[in-house]
Amino acid sequence: SNLVRALVSWLIILTDVEGFSKSAVQSQTGRLETRRNLFNLLEKQTQPSTENGLDPEYPWSFTGRLWFRPALTRIPSGPDDPRPPSSITILNLFGWTLGGTVALEYDDSPVGPYREYVTMGAAVFKRGAIGQWGSKLFVSTKPAEDVCQKTWSVPAALANIDFDEDSADSLKVRSAPDILALKKQNIGVSGWDNARILGENPTSSKRYPEQGLPVFWTPSIKALWTPFVPFPSTKGDTSKLPLHRLRLSASAVRLTLCAQNPSDDLGIPIPIGLVVDNVLIEISRPQKEPL
């Protein structure tokens, strides 16, 4: 509230005043620690909560639709290519791995509607878990970029993302991003009408499975993992990854033909994709044990 923020601000000022009058009693380190704690309290009071979930164990939720199309891609090899931490093994055969494209349209989220595009970089493995790592994640609004970075430490990038509601026969990437470019990217997907399996008002349809499909997520490297019993950590593993549980449910799932020519940005697209409509993605708080 405004009253709480005002009180905290006055306390911060008073710690400075007391610092001059009681320097012999309170150390400089102690005063700095007190001010740091007060600043953290003020920041929490100033920032609105992003928790919009109905389940306290899964305080964040997203609803909307998505399209995933796998692709064969080369493993990162260039000096500037993004790559996962060294503790993660990239699964590959003769230098080829499984990447792809994920396009998501959120009707509701902790920061309202927005679009998301993820370039999936490789199939990966760590401590008994198999997953897929995203080499770059783009979002269409500034609030979405902020919540990704501040709440889950997702290195999201702001981009112009356009999903064409045209009558194309299939979904395809009209304009793919350059994941190495520093400038703001223009991303386009055509045939998005094919992702609306349930039409314009899908929210009345029941979602399955009712308890949600369990998936694990390491947001700091944009990777999804299959449920697993983790192997013991190896000695010297310094890249402990914050781990969240996800629950996924949806009203409609469909395989769709979505052929597209190979390119440097897309790899060799596999011409069969997955469309999910009225999806509910629920995110838990960080697990006690990281990956």
Side-chain angles (χ1 to χ4, degrees), residues 2-28:
N2 293 333
L3 177 61
V4 172
R5 289 197 294 271
L7 289 174
V8 172
S9 298
W10 273 107
L11 285 172
I12 292 173
I13 295 172
L14 286 175
T15 58
D16 277 346
V17 174
E18 290 188 354
F20 288 108
S21 61
K22 299 182 179 180
S23 57
V25 178
Q26 186 180 28
S27 69
Q28 180 69 15

Side-chain angles (χ1 to χ4, degrees), residues 129-168:
I130 295 175
Q132 197 174 32
W133 160 71
S135 54
K136 195 68 176 283
L137 183 147
F138 301 90
V139 294
S140 62
T141 69
K142 180 60 176 169
E145 180 187 35
D146 291 341
V147 76
C148 284
Q149 294 177 357
K150 295 178 181 179
T151 304
W152 304 294
S153 299
V154 177
L158 186 63
N160 299 315
I161 304 177
D162 183 29
F163 293 167
D164 292 340
E165 299 277 356
D166 51 27
S167 57

Side-chain angles (χ1 to χ4, degrees), residues 18-287:
E18 290 188 354
F20 288 108
S21 61
K22 299 182 179 180
S23 57
V25 178
Q26 186 180 28
S27 69
Q28 180 69 15
T29 302
R31 291 198 302 276
L32 290 174
E33 183 65 26
T34 300
R35 296 191 72 221
R36 187 180 298 114
N37 292 336
L38 290 170
F39 270 121
N40 290 339
L41 177 59
L42 180 60
E43 184 177 25
K44 289 180 180 179
Q45 291 295 329
T46 303
Q47 294 178 351
S49 173
T50 60
E51 297 183 4
N52 66 329
L54 299 178
D55 187 336
E57 294 187 11
Y58 293 82
W60 302 283
S61 68
F62 297 72
T63 62
R65 61 205 51 81
L66 66 87
W67 167 53
F68 168 62
R69 183 183 62 190
L72 298 177
T73 57
R74 286 287 189 182
I75 63 173
S77 58
D80 298 325
D81 289 347
R83 61 193 70 224
S86 58
S87 62
I88 290 178
T89 300
I90 294 180
L91 302 176
N92 72 97
L93 182 64
F94 304 119
W96 289 91
T97 185
L98 186 67
T101 296
V102 183
L104 307 100
E105 182 180 45
Y106 296 122
D107 299 326
D108 186 44
S109 79
V111 291
Y114 72 93
R115 291 167 177 161
E116 182 174 303
Y117 182 100
V118 189
T119 298
M120 305 305 295
V124 290
F125 176 86
K126 182 177 182 181
R127 293 180 60 198
I130 295 175
Q132 197 174 32
W133 160 71
S135 54
K136 195 68 176 283
L137 183 147
F138 301 90
V139 294
S140 62
T141 69
K142 180 60 176 169
E145 180 187 35
D146 291 341
V147 76
C148 284
Q149 294 177 357
K150 295 178 181 179
T151 304
W152 304 294
S153 299
V154 177
L158 186 63
N160 299 315
I161 304 177
D162 183 29
F163 293 167
D164 292 340
E165 299 277 356
D166 51 27
S167 57
D169 292 335
S170 65
L171 285 154
K172 62 179 60 178
V173 179
R174 173 173 47 80
S175 177
D178 180 355
I179 63 173
L180 299 180
L182 297 178
K183 66 179 182 180
K184 190 175 182 180
Q185 295 292 288
N186 296 308
I187 302 170
V189 174
S190 60
W192 193 250
D193 188 60
N194 294 284
R196 297 186 182 279
I197 305 173
L198 301 173
E200 292 295 331
N201 298 299
T203 54
S204 60
S205 302
K206 190 172 183 178
R207 296 186 179 98
Y208 298 94
E210 292 185 9
Q211 300 302 317
L213 183 70
V215 180
F216 284 96
W217 181 45
T218 48
S220 58
I221 64 164
K222 310 169 295 297
L224 294 173
W225 305 85
T226 58
F228 66 101
V229 177
F231 295 164
S233 298
T234 58
K235 291 183 178 180
D237 181 5
T238 58
S239 60
K240 300 292 187 180
L241 303 172
L243 187 67
H244 295 252
R245 286 177 294 148
L246 302 187
R247 284 195 312 208
L248 308 179
S249 57
S251 298
V253 179
R254 176 188 295 171
L255 292 176
T256 181
L257 294 174
C258 44
Q260 189 162 354
N261 292 330
S263 70
D264 292 339
D265 293 325
L266 296 174
I268 304 176
I270 296 173
I272 298 177
L274 182 71
V275 174
V276 183
D277 200 2
N278 197 30
V279 65
L280 170 63
I281 304 171
E282 299 174 281
I283 304 176
S284 78
R285 301 188 191 279
Q287 302 298 284

